[in-house]
Amino acid sequence: MSRSYKLPARQRGDVLLESLIGILLMSTIGLGITYASSRAAVSQRDMKLQNIVVNQMRSLLEQNGALLCSKSSITISIPTQTDPLPITATCTSASAVTVGTSTITGGTPQSSVVLTTRSQDSSLFGGVIRVGDES
């Protein structure tokens, strides 16, 4: 009875290296998906806030119109902010109305009101929002 002993084969680590590369690739893809979804969520939040501000400014124009020119301070409130958002009213009057290529003069002068707001906090909605008729 002779016994033969086989020496164990040398382990090369191919499977370990392949799994390490696989984990690295999966984590890179996961980080990319996380970044893209977070940017989409921030963009959606900004658009929602802009929509709220525009709707409130349009409502002010519909309810008050040219009376906004005589008010010294106009503010609106945003659900995520504790401080009211200041609004600037710019009023211009025109005695002539242009429709297409025809200009009609006379009658009572008409007022044009433009409401403008700027976010003090750059992360709020990031810019200027204007509502109204600009000539």
Side-chain angles (χ1 to χ4, degrees):
M1 270 202 200
S2 73
R3 288 190 162 168
S4 65
Y5 291 102
K6 279 189 169 184
L7 293 173
R10 248 180 69 185
Q11 295 180 352
R12 296 185 315 191
D14 291 342
V15 175
L16 183 61
L17 185 61
E18 287 176 1
S19 62
L20 185 62
I21 291 172
I23 289 173
L24 181 66
L25 287 174
M26 291 299 290
S27 64
T28 303
I29 290 170
L31 285 173
I33 289 172
T34 303
Y35 177 76
S37 64
S38 69
R39 294 301 304 159
V42 167
S43 177
Q44 184 177 11
R45 183 200 60 153
D46 289 348
M47 291 301 293
K48 185 178 178 181
L49 282 175
Q50 287 176 0
N51 190 26
I52 290 171
V53 170
V54 167
N55 284 336
Q56 287 187 9
M57 290 170 73
R58 283 183 180 164
S59 177
L60 277 173
L61 275 175
E62 288 175 2
Q63 292 172 0
N64 300 315
L67 295 175
L68 293 171
C69 299
S70 60
K71 292 187 177 182
S72 61
S73 68
I74 308 165
T75 59
I76 58 173
S77 60
I78 300 175
T80 59
Q81 294 295 107
T82 56
D83 297 332
L85 190 64
I87 304 291
T88 304
T90 307
C91 303
T92 57
S93 62
S95 59
V97 177
T98 303
V99 179
T101 57
S102 303
T103 302
I104 303 168
T105 59
T108 58
Q110 299 295 318
S111 292
S112 171
V113 181
V114 177
L115 297 180
T116 308
T117 187
R118 177 182 303 274
S119 64
Q120 293 106 0
D121 183 11
S122 62
S123 66
L124 185 59
F125 51 80
V128 176
I129 296 179
R130 285 189 181 89
V131 174
D133 182 20
E134 287 186 320
S135 299

